Amino acid sequence: MKDRSRGHLTRDGIRIYEAADFAGMHRAGRVAATILDEMIEHVVPGVTTGKLDEIITAKVEAAGARSATIGYKGYRHASCISVNHVVCHGIPGDKVLKDGDILNIDVTVIVDGWFGDTSRMYVAGRPNRRAERLMQVTHDALMLGIETVKPGNTFGDIGAAIQRYVESQRMSVVRDFCGHGLGQVFHAPPNVLHYGRPGTGAVLEEGMFFTIEPMVNLGRPQTKVLADDWTAVTRDKSLSAQYEHSVGVTSRGAEIFTLSPAGKFHPTWG
């Protein structure tokens, strides 16, 4: 999609949006987050990931939005659903969820030309303690990264905060995938790495829009992409988790566009 947004580009090619553009991102983000809220009751043992995607597709249409992923590089679904050792880009299909499975559901919608992109973890039934701890660490790593967002800091500061915390918990940060800029396009500069060194990378400026979406593994960080050219899994088959918010940089810090309206961004809340 052509980028029709106002504002200007930094020397790093990062779009600086205007204050009025935040409202469009909030509308798109709320639609995506509401859909994920409404999926909680449907994630149960015995359901297929394909059925979950059918429900999401219907909800996107009912909201008057469009799916950003249907037709994107040939992808045919309104969501990515990544179960257990699938890191990201899991394709919905015939897989039946079992009790204790953990899964990430990732949804991106387009509302009035603005992209709302978010993902969170779910549990079919009850998770084991290791899975529960993995999800908690991943969630907390995302929020620590968001706390680092403010003008004058760098993208390296975000990655360093996430990496430092995750590795202190004896888990690993996936390095093969990253967050990205967005707004009136799905993917744009910058690449938002979830590891790095403080003080490196582009400097954060008011008006930047991007996602932060750390993927954390219980085992080693290495991944591989399966023959379908989409599904990424852990090489050592260890469990993986991911949380994602879309944010905008303000004069005071980060404004989160994809907050859960029901307050259920984490599977143990509510």
Side-chain angles (χ1 to χ4, degrees), residues 88-149:
C88 61
H89 303 158
I91 301 175
D94 296 332
K95 182 174 180 58
V96 178
L97 297 182
K98 303 187 299 295
D99 183 56
D101 281 345
I102 63 171
L103 57 150
N104 175 275
I105 301 180
D106 190 339
V107 170
T108 307
V109 299
I110 309 170
V111 178
D112 300 327
W114 296 98
F115 285 70
D117 187 2
T118 184
S119 79
R120 68 179 78 157
M121 296 301 295
Y122 297 79
V123 181
R126 302 185 67 175
N128 63 47
R129 289 186 178 181
R130 295 181 74 223
E132 193 167 21
R133 182 167 174 268
L134 170 66
M135 291 188 292
Q136 186 66 54
V137 168
T138 308
H139 171 271
D140 292 348
L142 167 63
M143 301 314 293
L144 285 169
I146 291 174
E147 287 177 13
T148 309
V149 174

Side-chain angles (χ1 to χ4, degrees), residues 4-269:
R4 301 184 299 275
S5 42
R6 298 181 294 275
H8 64 278
L9 298 177
T10 69
R11 65 181 183 181
D12 298 297
I14 304 170
R15 173 75 61 183
I16 303 296
Y17 289 90
E18 299 181 358
D21 296 331
F22 279 71
M25 290 297 289
H26 273 293
R27 290 194 299 274
R30 185 176 180 87
V31 169
T34 298
I35 290 170
L36 291 188
D37 281 351
E38 293 173 350
M39 291 305 298
I40 295 171
E41 64 181 289
H42 300 287
V43 178
V44 293
V47 73
T48 67
T49 56
K51 179 60 177 179
L52 295 177
D53 185 70
E54 288 178 13
I55 296 169
I56 291 167
T57 302
K59 289 183 179 297
V60 172
E61 183 177 349
R66 289 192 294 125
S67 168
T69 54
I70 295 177
Y72 178 77
K73 296 184 177 181
Y75 197 75
R76 296 184 294 175
H77 304 277
S79 65
C80 292
I81 302 179
S82 304
V83 183
N84 293 333
H85 74 291
V86 178
V87 175
C88 61
H89 303 158
I91 301 175
D94 296 332
K95 182 174 180 58
V96 178
L97 297 182
K98 303 187 299 295
D99 183 56
D101 281 345
I102 63 171
L103 57 150
N104 175 275
I105 301 180
D106 190 339
V107 170
T108 307
V109 299
I110 309 170
V111 178
D112 300 327
W114 296 98
F115 285 70
D117 187 2
T118 184
S119 79
R120 68 179 78 157
M121 296 301 295
Y122 297 79
V123 181
R126 302 185 67 175
N128 63 47
R129 289 186 178 181
R130 295 181 74 223
E132 193 167 21
R133 182 167 174 268
L134 170 66
M135 291 188 292
Q136 186 66 54
V137 168
T138 308
H139 171 271
D140 292 348
L142 167 63
M143 301 314 293
L144 285 169
I146 291 174
E147 287 177 13
T148 309
V149 174
K150 64 179 180 180
N153 280 356
T154 69
F155 283 96
D157 294 330
I158 298 173
I162 292 170
Q163 180 183 8
R164 182 167 52 245
Y165 175 69
V166 169
E167 292 180 353
S168 76
Q169 302 302 306
R170 298 190 176 186
M171 299 180 191
S172 64
V173 177
V174 170
R175 300 190 177 208
D176 297 331
F177 302 94
C178 61
H180 53 88
L182 81 169
Q184 290 187 308
V185 290
F186 194 175
H187 296 100
N191 288 333
V192 183
L193 305 182
H194 305 116
Y195 62 94
R197 292 183 292 110
T200 62
V203 176
L204 296 166
E205 297 183 34
E206 188 175 351
M208 289 180 174
F209 296 165
F210 51 87
T211 70
I212 305 177
E213 47 186 293
M215 288 144 274
V216 176
N217 297 344
L218 268 180
R220 297 181 181 276
Q222 287 79 15
T223 70
K224 64 178 180 180
V225 176
L226 301 185
D228 59 26
D229 290 330
W230 284 103
T231 308
V233 300
T234 56
R235 282 191 174 272
D236 61 7
K237 297 186 179 181
S238 63
L239 288 178
S240 186
Q242 179 186 22
Y243 283 88
E244 174 185 13
H245 271 317
S246 297
V247 303
V249 183
T250 73
S251 60
R252 293 175 293 181
E255 195 161 302
I256 301 175
F257 299 128
T258 47
L259 289 172
S260 164
K264 295 183 177 181
F265 186 63
H266 189 289
T268 64
W269 294 348

